[in-house]
PDB file of all heavy atoms in Angstrom:
ATOM      1  N   ASP K  20       9.780  10.662   9.887  1.00 98.00           N
ATOM      2  CA  ASP K  20      11.134  11.231   9.954  1.00 98.00           C
ATOM      3  C   ASP K  20      11.134  12.718  10.346  1.00 98.00           C
ATOM      4  O   ASP K  20      11.617  13.573   9.608  1.00 98.00           O
ATOM      5  CB  ASP K  20      11.860  10.967   8.621  1.00 98.00           C
ATOM      6  CG  ASP K  20      12.026   9.478   8.388  1.00 98.00           C
ATOM      7  OD1 ASP K  20      12.948   8.892   8.967  1.00 98.00           O
ATOM      8  OD2 ASP K  20      11.185   8.876   7.671  1.00 98.00           O
ATOM      9  N   HIS K  22      12.675  13.793  13.068  1.00 98.00           N
ATOM     10  CA  HIS K  22      14.079  14.001  13.415  1.00 98.00           C
ATOM     11  C   HIS K  22      14.358  15.271  14.224  1.00 98.00           C
ATOM     12  O   HIS K  22      15.251  16.057  13.894  1.00 98.00           O
ATOM     13  CB  HIS K  22      14.962  13.951  12.156  1.00 98.00           C
ATOM     14  CG  HIS K  22      15.160  12.551  11.638  1.00 98.00           C
ATOM     15  ND1 HIS K  22      15.788  11.573  12.384  1.00 98.00           N
ATOM     16  CD2 HIS K  22      14.790  11.957  10.478  1.00 98.00           C
ATOM     17  CE1 HIS K  22      15.795  10.443  11.681  1.00 98.00           C
ATOM     18  NE2 HIS K  22      15.192  10.641  10.528  1.00 98.00           N
ATOM     19  N   ASP K  48      11.036   7.638  13.627  1.00 98.00           N
ATOM     20  CA  ASP K  48      12.131   8.609  13.670  1.00 98.00           C
ATOM     21  C   ASP K  48      11.630  10.005  14.065  1.00 98.00           C
ATOM     22  O   ASP K  48      11.798  10.992  13.341  1.00 98.00           O
ATOM     23  CB  ASP K  48      12.927   8.652  12.349  1.00 98.00           C
ATOM     24  CG  ASP K  48      13.863   7.466  12.237  1.00 98.00           C
ATOM     25  OD1 ASP K  48      13.870   6.621  13.155  1.00 98.00           O
ATOM     26  OD2 ASP K  48      14.599   7.376  11.238  1.00 98.00           O
ATOM     27  N   TYR K  52      19.334  13.425  14.779  1.00 96.00           N
ATOM     28  CA  TYR K  52      19.815  14.514  13.908  1.00 96.00           C
ATOM     29  C   TYR K  52      19.544  15.929  14.441  1.00 96.00           C
ATOM     30  O   TYR K  52      20.436  16.740  14.517  1.00 96.00           O
ATOM     31  CB  TYR K  52      19.231  14.432  12.486  1.00 96.00           C
ATOM     32  CG  TYR K  52      19.623  13.219  11.708  1.00 96.00           C
ATOM     33  CD1 TYR K  52      18.660  12.417  11.098  1.00 96.00           C
ATOM     34  CD2 TYR K  52      20.971  12.872  11.542  1.00 96.00           C
ATOM     35  CE1 TYR K  52      19.015  11.287  10.360  1.00 96.00           C
ATOM     36  CE2 TYR K  52      21.328  11.737  10.813  1.00 96.00           C
ATOM     37  CZ  TYR K  52      20.339  10.953  10.226  1.00 96.00           C
ATOM     38  OH  TYR K  52      20.679   9.853   9.507  1.00 96.00           O
ATOM     39  N   ASN K  74      14.281   3.556  13.337  1.00 95.00           N
ATOM     40  CA  ASN K  74      15.594   3.080  13.782  1.00 95.00           C
ATOM     41  C   ASN K  74      16.306   4.085  14.685  1.00 95.00           C
ATOM     42  O   ASN K  74      17.058   3.694  15.579  1.00 95.00           O
ATOM     43  CB  ASN K  74      16.469   2.700  12.583  1.00 95.00           C
ATOM     44  CG  ASN K  74      16.607   3.792  11.554  1.00 95.00           C
ATOM     45  OD1 ASN K  74      15.632   4.459  11.213  1.00 95.00           O
ATOM     46  ND2 ASN K  74      17.804   4.002  11.051  1.00 95.00           N
ATOM     47  N   HIS K  75      16.052   5.394  14.484  1.00 96.00           N
ATOM     48  CA  HIS K  75      16.690   6.382  15.362  1.00 96.00           C
ATOM     49  C   HIS K  75      16.023   6.413  16.739  1.00 96.00           C
ATOM     50  O   HIS K  75      16.706   6.592  17.754  1.00 96.00           O
ATOM     51  CB  HIS K  75      16.654   7.780  14.714  1.00 96.00           C
ATOM     52  CG  HIS K  75      17.649   7.930  13.608  1.00 96.00           C
ATOM     53  ND1 HIS K  75      18.831   8.619  13.734  1.00 96.00           N
ATOM     54  CD2 HIS K  75      17.646   7.417  12.353  1.00 96.00           C
ATOM     55  CE1 HIS K  75      19.513   8.546  12.597  1.00 96.00           C
ATOM     56  NE2 HIS K  75      18.799   7.832  11.740  1.00 96.00           N
ATOM     57  N   HIS K 127       8.094   1.512   9.186  1.00 98.00           N
ATOM     58  CA  HIS K 127       9.148   2.518   9.030  1.00 98.00           C
ATOM     59  C   HIS K 127       9.872   2.359   7.689  1.00 98.00           C
ATOM     60  O   HIS K 127       9.800   3.236   6.834  1.00 98.00           O
ATOM     61  CB  HIS K 127      10.135   2.481  10.198  1.00 98.00           C
ATOM     62  CG  HIS K 127      11.112   3.617  10.163  1.00 98.00           C
ATOM     63  ND1 HIS K 127      10.705   4.940  10.176  1.00 98.00           N
ATOM     64  CD2 HIS K 127      12.470   3.655  10.070  1.00 98.00           C
ATOM     65  CE1 HIS K 127      11.768   5.738  10.094  1.00 98.00           C
ATOM     66  NE2 HIS K 127      12.843   4.980  10.032  1.00 98.00           N
ATOM     67  N   HIS K 159      11.564   6.354   6.224  1.00 98.00           N
ATOM     68  CA  HIS K 159      12.951   5.889   6.367  1.00 98.00           C
ATOM     69  C   HIS K 159      13.904   6.419   5.294  1.00 98.00           C
ATOM     70  O   HIS K 159      15.046   6.716   5.575  1.00 98.00           O
ATOM     71  CB  HIS K 159      12.968   4.351   6.398  1.00 98.00           C
ATOM     72  CG  HIS K 159      14.233   3.723   6.867  1.00 98.00           C
ATOM     73  ND1 HIS K 159      15.043   4.261   7.846  1.00 98.00           N
ATOM     74  CD2 HIS K 159      14.846   2.559   6.493  1.00 98.00           C
ATOM     75  CE1 HIS K 159      16.082   3.455   8.052  1.00 98.00           C
ATOM     76  NE2 HIS K 159      15.994   2.433   7.235  1.00 98.00           N
ATOM     77  N   HIS K 161      13.355   9.219   3.429  1.00 98.00           N
ATOM     78  CA  HIS K 161      13.219  10.684   3.358  1.00 98.00           C
ATOM     79  C   HIS K 161      12.958  11.153   1.920  1.00 98.00           C
ATOM     80  O   HIS K 161      13.278  12.282   1.563  1.00 98.00           O
ATOM     81  CB  HIS K 161      14.450  11.402   3.935  1.00 98.00           C
ATOM     82  CG  HIS K 161      14.794  11.028   5.342  1.00 98.00           C
ATOM     83  ND1 HIS K 161      15.550  11.850   6.157  1.00 98.00           N
ATOM     84  CD2 HIS K 161      14.495   9.928   6.093  1.00 98.00           C
ATOM     85  CE1 HIS K 161      15.703  11.261   7.348  1.00 98.00           C
ATOM     86  NE2 HIS K 161      15.077  10.091   7.327  1.00 98.00           N
ATOM     87  N   ARG K 205      15.414  14.447   1.833  1.00 98.00           N
ATOM     88  CA  ARG K 205      16.618  14.120   1.047  1.00 98.00           C
ATOM     89  C   ARG K 205      16.287  13.954  -0.430  1.00 98.00           C
ATOM     90  O   ARG K 205      17.035  13.333  -1.172  1.00 98.00           O
ATOM     91  CB  ARG K 205      17.222  12.805   1.557  1.00 98.00           C
ATOM     92  CG  ARG K 205      17.752  12.882   2.969  1.00 98.00           C
ATOM     93  CD  ARG K 205      18.270  11.537   3.435  1.00 98.00           C
ATOM     94  NE  ARG K 205      18.557  11.551   4.859  1.00 98.00           N
ATOM     95  CZ  ARG K 205      18.734  10.455   5.598  1.00 98.00           C
ATOM     96  NH1 ARG K 205      18.643   9.261   5.024  1.00 98.00           N
ATOM     97  NH2 ARG K 205      18.996  10.555   6.879  1.00 98.00           N
TER      98      ARG K 205
HETATM   99 ZN1  LIG I 311      14.919   8.904   9.279  1.00 65.48          ZN
END
Side-chain angles (χ1 to χ4, degrees):
D20 297 280
H22 285 298
D48 283 1
Y52 296 128
N74 54 317
H75 285 256
H127 188 58
H159 194 35
H161 304 202
R205 295 177 190 164

